[in-house]
Amino acid sequence: MDPKGYWCLQLHAHLPYVRHPEYPDFLEEDWFYEALSETYLPLLSVFENFVKDGVDFRLTMTITPSLANMLADPLLQSRYYERLNKHIELAEKELWRTKNFPEFQPAAEMYDNRFKECKRLWEKYNGNILRGFKDLQDMGKLEIITCCATHGFLPLMNNEKAQRAQIKVACDDYERHFGRRPKGMWLAECAYYPGIDKLLKEEGIRFFFLEAHGILYGTPRPKYGVFAPVYCPSGVAAFSRDMETAHQVWSAETGYPGDADYREFYRDLGYDLEYEYVKPYLHSDGERRNIGLKYYRITGKVPLHEKQPYIPEWARSKSAEHAGNFLFNRTKQVEYLSEVLGKQPLVVSMYDAELFGHWWFEGPDFINFLFRKMHHDQNTVKPITPVEYLDKFPVNQVLTPAASSWGDKGYYEVWLNGANDYIYRHLHKAAERMVELANQFSNASGLLERALNQAARELLLAQSSDWAFIMTTGTMVEYAEKRTRDHLVNFTNIYNQIKGNSVDGGYIADLESKNNIFPEINYRVYK
């Protein structure tokens, strides 16, 4: 029996490229290690259990090129494994310590089990979990899509060749990891303006995602609102976000993650216990920091010191309840929409993957319960990927989407404002110079070719939208400014060396070892 409607879950997994071999440990690398233990490995475990238990599931997941290169990097893999073993050591110590504090014992047991499951999966894939996600894609359960090479914000690039390079480098790198060309692309920050889709078409991309008003303000107006994809004039399909499901899951105020029984993110063992006890699990500078074990629940709007102990069983029960509520709402939503629209609607739910596990600790449990309930308990809503939908429903409205993003206020202000606008004249000039080099030295080989390839890497890394975003939000601003400045300085040095016919092999080798993203890059993408 055909369902009344379809549901497309899109998880956007992304981190900026942070890799510092010149230091024994580096604070911002923690973003990657935390996301592995809290999001990527738990989600992979949930998906593999679906396969083992015969649960039919479908979802789409971005693995951005910067994240894919970090996941495949031997240095970061070895550093994570060392960190994971330290967490297991700490969790085992906590099993003994909390025998004197029985209210914390269930959480200690949960952490011990969780870290050991992460280790089991990590060792299964010998540290390269991209293989696990690729296997799920090859089974037809997961549609992995790519993103702009370094999450570059395309509408704020004034050079079409620089935009094209962000797209082409991403597609080539995807093929290196996953053995085929990507079918879909997540535009960084969902940032679109009319015409970008033509660049996607050149690389064989069939679909991308937009914020709701990108479709709703399109020309002509969409007949089915956000509940069916549209074709851009280029023929590339655009899927847009359903805001009802966004608020239900995303919002800490009105959504599920703010529930009193869920784990409190901001109270951590790194601050709660005696310094000498936690010191072995801190960075080499000895500063107190979050170390990932958190023993308190949200409780309510109370100060951190009034939070109550976290009860994993309560939280798991609540995630099952919320999964049931989400599915109930989707069945009612598609029943209503199918009557109004006269066709089977498509509800697209788009989230940062890191919401599930990192920010909302119980998020992977929610996904686990949701797909199991969807598989066993109803026939009204069916999960689907964009490619499956387009194959099933190839006829869709043609319109030109509106300029938009999913940032605050819906346009480009987060990435272009008084806190970060000064970077763009430098980024524009570097892009112009990269195009100049690619055309002047189109047949380079040897050291010159390596220098040109490294110049392309430095430009791409400087263009990451993460740096402008961090400058706006006011967190880790010094690091974001330094990364932008360092990559631009590196690029300019290489440019001057090439133009002066004085390429320094030692300098290039040093940059190649530190900023080693895209090992197979070809600078000619800028021609």
Side-chain angles (χ1 to χ4, degrees), residues 164 348 359 386 514:
R164 187 177 280 111
V348 179
W359 298 108
K514 285 194 289 196

Side-chain angles (χ1 to χ4, degrees), residues 395-409:
V395 178
N396 293 285
Q397 184 180 359
V398 177
L399 64 77
T400 301
S404 53
S405 85
W406 77 342
D408 185 39
K409 302 187 182 73

Side-chain angles (χ1 to χ4, degrees), residues 509-524:
D510 181 56
L511 291 180
E512 286 173 331
S513 71
K514 285 194 289 196
N515 302 326
N516 66 341
I517 195 170
F518 309 130
E520 297 180 5
I521 196 170
N522 186 333
Y523 72 92
R524 297 171 184 85

Side-chain angles (χ1 to χ4, degrees), residues 454-462 486-487 490-491 494 511 515:
Q454 193 60 35
R457 291 189 188 99
E458 300 295 340
L459 172 59
L460 289 167
L461 288 166
D486 286 355
H487 293 305
N490 294 342
F491 174 85
I494 297 172
L511 291 180
N515 302 326

Side-chain angles (χ1 to χ4, degrees), residues 421-431 459 484 488 491-492:
D421 55 3
Y422 69 93
I423 69 176
Y424 287 98
R425 57 182 172 172
H426 303 290
L427 293 172
H428 294 340
K429 188 63 179 177
L459 172 59
T484 306
L488 285 168
F491 174 85
T492 303

Side-chain angles (χ1 to χ4, degrees), residues 10 29 32 68 122 136 139 170 214 233 247 277 282 293 298 310 325 335 419 452 471 491 500 514 527:
Q10 153 63 11
E29 281 185 8
F32 177 61
W122 189 256
L136 291 163
M139 291 177 205
H247 294 310
Y277 184 85
L282 301 173
L293 278 72
I298 290 171
Y310 177 68
N325 177 260
E335 285 172 353
L452 289 160
M471 291 175 201
F491 174 85
K514 285 194 289 196
K527 282 188 64 180

Side-chain angles (χ1 to χ4, degrees), residues 237-358:
F239 292 76
S240 60
R241 177 159 73 150
D242 166 58
M243 296 311 294
E244 183 179 328
T245 56
H247 294 310
Q248 258 188 305
V249 174
W250 200 291
S251 172
E253 295 296 321
T254 60
Y256 304 133
D259 189 272
D261 288 337
Y262 286 147
R263 191 184 78 161
E264 170 60 57
F265 179 83
Y266 292 101
R267 185 162 176 184
D268 187 277
L269 210 63
Y271 295 93
D272 278 347
L273 292 187
E274 298 85 358
Y275 179 72
E276 290 304 319
Y277 184 85
V278 300
K279 184 180 177 182
Y281 310 100
L282 301 173
H283 278 249
S284 54
D285 62 6
E287 291 287 327
R288 280 190 183 267
R289 293 192 174 92
N290 288 351
I291 54 179
L293 278 72
K294 306 170 196 287
Y295 281 133
Y296 292 87
R297 52 192 167 94
I298 290 171
T299 309
K301 291 187 179 298
V302 298
L304 282 180
H305 69 274
E306 293 181 17
K307 301 290 184 178
Q308 297 299 305
Y310 177 68
I311 313 296
E313 186 180 342
W314 293 5
R316 185 172 170 81
S317 175
K318 194 60 67 78
S319 62
E321 180 184 320
H322 285 154
N325 177 260
F326 185 90
L327 182 55
F328 173 81
N329 288 330
R330 297 294 70 71
T331 59
K332 296 302 178 187
Q333 185 181 21
V334 302
E335 285 172 353
Y336 170 76
L337 288 170
S338 64
E339 293 294 324
V340 172
L341 301 178
K343 65 174 291 181
Q344 294 161 299
L346 173 69
V347 177
V348 179
S349 300
M350 296 155 38
Y351 310 105
D352 281 337
E354 294 75 21
L355 171 67
F356 295 87
H358 179 63

Side-chain angles (χ1 to χ4, degrees), residues 405-443:
S405 85
W406 77 342
D408 185 39
K409 302 187 182 73
Y411 295 96
Y412 308 154
E413 183 181 336
V414 172
W415 299 273
L416 180 60
N417 57 70
N420 56 29
D421 55 3
Y422 69 93
I423 69 176
Y424 287 98
R425 57 182 172 172
H426 303 290
L427 293 172
H428 294 340
K429 188 63 179 177
E432 177 188 311
R433 285 178 161 183
M434 189 67 233
V435 173
E436 173 197 335
L437 291 175
N439 284 286
Q440 184 177 350
F441 302 98
S442 58
N443 297 313

